[in-house]
Amino acid sequence: MTDYRKSWKLNVFPLLVKWFVMMIVVSMVPLLPVLPSFPLFTLPSVSAESQITIDSHENGQLVDSGIVTISGHYVDVFDLKLIVNGKEQLDAHMNNLSGTETGTWYAELDTSKYHGNIRLVARGLQSDTRYGVTTPQKVIQVNNPPASPPLVRIDHPTDGSRVEGEITVTLSVYAINPVHAVEIRLNGGSWSPAIAANEHYEYMWDTETALNGSSSIEARAIDEYGNIGRSMTVYVRNGEIIQEAVTLERQDRAIWIWEKAAYNLFLNPGSRTALKAFADDTATFNSDPVTTFYLGVFPYEGIDILEEETAKVRDFVTWAHEQGYKVHACIAGGTVPPYFGALTAYHDLAVREMEKVINYNLSSSPAEQFDGVNVDIEPYILPEFRPNKPSVQLQYLDIMEKLVQRRNTAGIPLLFGPAIPRWFDSNDPAKDITWKGQTKWLSEHIQDISDYITIMDYRDTADGTAGIIAHAQGEIDYANRIGKPNSVIIGVETLDIANSGDPETITFREEGRAHMESELDKVYASFNNNPAFGGIAMHHYDSIRWLPSAWGPGGLKWTVTPEDVTLPSAVSVQPSAKAFDYQSITLRYGRAFDDSDIEDYVIYRSTEPDFEPDLSNIAGQSRNLTYIDRGLLPDTTYYYKVAAKDISGNIGPASHEAAATTAPTNLRPMIIDGMHIVRDGTRSRVALKVTDYETGEQITARVFGRFTYNGGKYVELAPDPNGILFAHSEALPETSGQVGFWPQRVLAGNYYWAAAYDSPRTASVQWPECFYDILLKSR
């Protein structure tokens, strides 16, 4: 703790003051977008319970169609979002109280896209722990019939029934607006019209034309405004059915490939070259080959790959099978954020994601079909998971059962495997869950339901009571008791994840690939002869592809061979730019293509039009087809160009120029100045100062951030006698290594952090120093 925090003898008074001031500001919420930012007085940082509220509307309140301002207050929270119906996530404008992380917020919601109830949840991160905190759900209503999609239900045949010969498929359609078309799709084929008949719609289907086995029936209705309503899928059996058994083979080694990389693989066939080279490479790190892909198929950047680009999915899966790989579709809750799918109110969205995979398989040849589905719904991220136990746990088990039942009803041999955290097993009776009349560990319930599990056994050591082996033992033992061989896959983390609320010990990011493989060797030695053990899964492709053997001068990084010298294409859609507030602008652009993989998109920025993009004006890089440029100056026009970079570092042609102007503010910009990092015994020390951007005057601020590369510790910097802020890393390797520092949050009264103008913007040190570094210092 810093001295000025120690000087407060009691916590009660400052908390009361904070609440008093907050209530004053909350009463002024309608004025916030135009209020000047002036300090009522500077509050010290005290540890209070983080909280967010939605104050602008009462539960059930009717609102107008159009832009509606949703607002509230927050206490000790940052990075606040508004989640709408579990499908849309909006950035919030946060107005703090003089440099604290307490104040008021607002977000602008376009209700013209909705009719009826709109479920709202505000979510942010706690200042101290960086874990999530959310509001209770609040419901508002909008009377906007032109945005109301039809409701569609398949009445006959019923789900799971047997059909023969020519049958009539009947549908019920409920619509506020005139219906333009009602259509049926069988086994993922083309949409065919259904005919109105009295109070329902009909379609004649000769089931003899379908392949013997299972068939999927889907229906949709389109109204005169273009709103589309979809039914849930009905699965029926037709012909002579031979029920195929689900056969579980050892998956070792598996890897998660999320949508950012998966959509490259679908839409840019050259990306397969890099994937195969990486998956088959056993020499660089003395590792096992990758044999199984958990492939993200959730809609991404405006494309629903399983609905809109089915042929490209089939092409990739066929290629993967020809190369000897297994492919599991990876789905979550069908919501944004994904873990909302654990809640009963959103179960239909999660079920639809499962049905997409099933329907894809039913419409595809055996070579084109997914081998399994890996389900990554993480209910424990919900703040109510622990305090409201077992409510969320039971809802989560219910959705897992619903998903696997859809597979069973369809009658297809699609492996079902949820990803679960390492601590769903517990010897503590207080943590047991009673479900369906049985009381046992949450992990055991999931193992009963599933064909396999992938344990997110995220630790960076194999041995010890807190190591990977010990954390997997309970699930291994239970799998053996219930007779499920090859069913426990042990997942390990390589993502640079230490800026979350979790400790740096959860990932191999700091230690490197060589250390990871040596620890995994211990896992294999412990479990290889155990029938339940099904292998190891690595999280994830984007991260581990560039994880070196070790950080520092001697570290070895994976490279694609042969060397690629071909430039990527230009972006397929020219960028657009839109200001969000006084210090951030959002860019959007189209996908680029390459004969290997696109690594990211380079964002060039200037305050001058018609600028020439080069290394000096790179604003940042993005793996997505969007980029938020933060830490800008107010009331300033910025110009942007975008170019794609492939995995070999080749940069393609720059796009056309896009421009946007930031909004004005009364806050003053501050920057981090003179940041540097040095070795200090067995640790490293970062030091910096915060200055007024315009005057260069040093100011008092609070800075939070984390060490990177070999480091991962999250810290608040403390002032030395001269006001220079500093912090020490955790203990680092002595002989060689690398460490950097990444500032995350900077707080000061009357100021905002203009991070785009930090000087320098990054800092790192490696040891032992190479000759070139020594030469530079000697000059």
Side-chain angles (χ1 to χ4, degrees):
M1 251 183 208
T2 54
D3 290 341
Y4 68 85
R5 291 176 69 178
K6 288 181 180 177
S7 66
W8 284 74
K9 303 300 182 184
L10 294 173
N11 282 340
V12 175
F13 177 70
L15 282 174
L16 290 174
V17 171
K18 181 180 284 190
W19 274 99
F20 176 74
V21 175
M22 182 181 63
M23 289 299 102
I24 293 175
V25 178
V26 167
S27 68
M28 304 170 72
V29 163
L31 302 176
L32 280 174
V34 297
L35 271 178
S37 178
F38 57 88
L40 299 175
F41 50 86
T42 301
L43 294 171
S45 175
V46 292
S47 179
E49 183 179 357
S50 297
Q51 184 182 12
I52 312 172
T53 64
I54 299 175
D55 302 325
S56 55
H57 296 83
E58 298 296 327
N59 215 30
Q61 182 175 336
L62 184 67
V63 301
D64 294 332
S65 174
I67 302 300
V68 174
T69 299
I70 310 297
S71 61
H73 71 266
Y74 61 95
V75 177
D76 291 327
V77 167
F78 66 100
D79 196 21
L80 198 150
K81 313 282 187 184
L82 179 66
I83 300 164
V84 185
N85 277 352
K87 292 184 176 181
E88 184 179 12
Q89 186 166 273
L90 305 176
D91 288 328
H93 299 265
M94 301 179 71
N95 303 276
N96 64 51
L97 298 178
S98 191
T100 67
E101 289 180 316
T102 293
T104 58
W105 67 272
Y106 72 95
E108 294 181 337
L109 170 63
D110 182 3
T111 63
S112 66
K113 299 181 291 184
Y114 300 95
H115 172 72
N117 288 342
I118 303 175
R119 299 190 294 267
L120 304 176
V121 172
R123 182 182 189 275
L125 299 177
Q126 299 177 14
S127 296
D128 291 339
T129 66
R130 306 179 304 285
Y131 286 125
V133 56
T134 67
T135 64
Q137 178 177 276
K138 179 163 284 188
V139 177
I140 60 174
Q141 299 181 12
V142 57
N143 184 22
N144 184 30
S148 176
L151 299 177
V152 186
R153 185 184 68 214
I154 300 172
D155 296 319
H156 182 266
T158 56
D159 195 38
S161 63
R162 183 183 176 90
V163 296
E164 292 181 336
E166 189 173 68
I167 68 168
T168 301
V169 180
T170 60
L171 315 171
S172 295
V173 178
Y174 305 89
I176 295 176
N177 306 307
V179 174
H180 174 71
V182 178
E183 298 173 324
I184 288 284
R185 181 166 70 177
L186 301 169
N187 291 322
S190 57
W191 290 98
S192 301
I195 307 302
N198 298 322
E199 296 183 355
H200 58 267
Y201 290 80
E202 296 181 348
Y203 176 83
M204 299 304 297
W205 176 32
D206 183 1
T207 64
E208 301 299 325
T209 64
L211 296 175
N212 288 346
S214 297
S215 289
S216 63
I217 310 173
E218 301 169 84
R220 70 180 184 184
I222 307 170
D223 69 17
E224 67 175 2
Y225 293 101
N227 300 308
I228 300 176
R230 294 279 293 268
S231 72
M232 305 300 287
T233 303
V234 164
Y235 298 108
V236 296
R237 307 290 181 92
N238 51 283
E240 295 299 324
I241 302 171
I242 301 176
Q243 183 69 47
E244 296 184 63
V246 174
T247 302
L248 182 61
E249 300 174 353
R250 184 157 164 160
Q251 296 181 28
D252 190 37
R253 182 178 296 194
I255 191 168
W256 279 276
I257 306 176
W258 292 110
E259 283 79 10
K260 293 178 186 179
Y263 272 57
N264 274 2
L265 293 166
F266 295 136
L267 303 176
N268 179 60
S271 299
R272 304 173 192 178
T273 304
L275 176 62
K276 179 171 173 55
F278 176 83
D280 295 350
D281 182 4
T282 60
T284 302
F285 302 106
N286 191 27
S287 59
D288 289 2
V290 175
T291 64
T292 306
F293 304 144
Y294 299 154
L295 199 65
V297 294
F298 190 68
Y300 175 69
E301 299 289 8
I303 298 176
D304 188 341
I305 200 73
L306 291 181
E307 287 285 334
E308 300 168 27
E309 296 287 357
T310 312
K312 288 185 169 62
V313 180
R314 293 189 179 115
D315 185 62
F316 173 80
V317 176
T318 300
W319 169 84
H321 285 155
E322 289 172 348
Q323 306 305 313
Y325 307 120
K326 300 290 187 181
V327 185
H328 294 219
C330 192
I331 64 172
T335 56
V336 179
Y339 49 83
F340 270 44
L343 301 174
T344 302
Y346 302 98
H347 280 185
D348 280 357
L349 297 178
V351 169
R352 286 184 186 276
E353 291 303 303
M354 184 69 179
E355 289 183 349
K356 284 182 188 179
V357 178
I358 296 171
N359 297 347
Y360 166 86
N361 268 21
L362 287 173
S363 68
S364 304
S365 70
E368 299 165 339
Q369 294 173 1
F370 290 111
D371 302 288
V373 58
N374 186 270
V375 183
D376 186 34
I377 300 176
E378 302 181 31
Y380 49 87
I381 301 178
L382 292 162
E384 60 266 39
F385 183 81
R386 288 178 176 82
N388 293 352
K389 178 180 180 288
S391 173
V392 174
Q393 289 84 344
L394 297 179
Q395 294 176 74
Y396 170 67
L397 288 170
D398 287 343
I399 187 56
M400 290 294 105
E401 183 180 55
K402 290 176 183 177
L403 296 182
V404 78
Q405 284 178 347
R406 299 313 290 148
R407 189 275 309 270
N408 295 342
T409 302
I412 61 174
L414 180 72
L415 293 170
F416 181 82
I420 66 171
R422 58 181 175 79
W423 45 267
F424 270 8
D425 65 323
S426 171
N427 288 313
D428 179 3
K431 294 185 179 180
D432 286 350
I433 301 296
T434 300
W435 182 69
K436 303 285 186 180
Q438 297 188 45
T439 301
K440 57 180 68 177
W441 296 344
L442 186 54
S443 62
E444 293 176 345
H445 286 300
I446 294 297
Q447 288 179 268
D448 290 340
I449 294 170
S450 310
D451 300 309
Y452 74 91
I453 59 169
T454 308
I455 307 173
M456 293 178 282
D457 199 352
Y458 293 168
R459 280 294 179 266
D460 58 11
T461 56
D463 295 325
T465 57
I468 295 169
I469 295 169
H471 285 149
Q473 193 66 57
E475 291 87 345
I476 289 280
D477 292 342
Y478 188 71
N480 285 322
R481 289 204 300 274
I482 62 175
K484 287 191 175 181
N486 300 322
S487 66
V488 178
I489 318 300
I490 297 175
V492 293
E493 180 67 276
T494 67
L495 187 64
D496 192 7
I497 202 170
N499 54 307
S500 74
D502 292 311
E504 64 270 18
T505 54
I506 66 174
T507 177
F508 284 107
R509 185 71 180 181
E510 293 87 25
E511 293 81 11
R513 184 75 184 269
H515 173 79
M516 184 184 88
E517 293 297 340
S518 69
E519 294 302 300
L520 296 187
D521 286 344
K522 299 175 185 177
V523 177
Y524 286 126
S526 179
F527 290 132
N528 250 342
N529 295 323
N530 194 305
F533 179 57
I536 287 174
M538 302 183 298
H539 189 259
H540 59 81
Y541 181 48
D542 287 21
S543 174
I544 195 173
R545 189 164 69 177
W546 301 123
L547 183 66
S549 58
W551 296 107
L556 177 65
K557 294 185 178 180
W558 180 81
T559 57
V560 63
T561 55
E563 183 183 2
D564 173 28
V565 295
T566 306
L567 301 183
S569 73
V571 295
S572 55
V573 177
Q574 296 300 325
S576 63
K578 182 179 180 180
F580 175 70
D581 57 15
Y582 56 86
Q583 60 97 23
S584 59
I585 291 173
T586 300
L587 291 176
R588 301 183 185 278
Y589 40 87
R591 185 176 299 276
F593 302 92
D594 189 58
D595 61 345
S596 66
D597 206 2
I598 299 294
E599 173 63 14
D600 51 36
Y601 294 87
V602 181
I603 314 299
Y604 300 97
R605 180 213 310 129
S606 177
T607 54
E608 298 294 332
D610 302 319
F611 71 99
E612 189 66 28
D614 56 36
L615 292 175
S616 68
N617 47 39
I618 293 179
Q621 301 180 33
S622 175
R623 287 281 292 166
N624 299 311
L625 301 182
T626 57
Y627 179 77
I628 302 178
D629 194 18
R630 293 185 171 92
L632 303 174
L633 298 178
D635 204 16
T636 302
T637 300
Y638 290 94
Y639 302 87
Y640 296 93
K641 295 181 180 180
V642 181
K645 183 177 71 175
D646 68 19
I647 60 174
S648 298
N650 302 306
I651 299 178
S655 68
H656 296 169
E657 198 168 81
T661 302
T662 52
T665 182
N666 290 320
L667 296 174
R668 297 181 61 83
M670 62 180 168
I671 63 170
I672 290 176
D673 188 21
M675 181 170 64
H676 65 281
I677 188 167
V678 296
R679 293 283 289 153
D680 189 3
T682 60
R683 303 184 295 170
S684 287
R685 183 181 189 271
V686 65
L688 56 85
K689 60 181 179 178
V690 179
T691 62
D692 184 300
Y693 169 73
E694 296 172 349
T695 67
E697 179 184 358
Q698 184 172 337
I699 62 176
T700 300
R702 300 180 67 194
V703 177
F704 302 83
R706 50 160 299 225
F707 291 91
T708 57
Y709 305 123
N710 276 128
K713 184 180 178 182
Y714 200 102
V715 296
E716 178 181 358
L717 280 67
D720 69 10
N722 297 318
I724 302 298
L725 299 172
F726 73 95
H728 281 94
S729 70
E730 67 270 47
L732 301 171
E734 294 186 18
T735 55
S736 66
Q738 183 179 4
V739 68
F741 189 75
W742 180 11
Q744 304 267 295
R745 297 144 58 202
V746 182
L747 306 174
N750 286 333
Y751 283 92
Y752 77 93
W753 181 23
Y757 293 86
D758 286 350
S759 179
R761 294 169 64 184
T762 60
S764 67
V765 63
Q766 58 181 349
W767 61 96
E769 293 180 303
C770 64
F771 174 77
Y772 180 70
D773 292 331
I774 297 172
L775 181 63
L776 286 178
K777 287 185 177 182
S778 67
R779 290 187 174 182

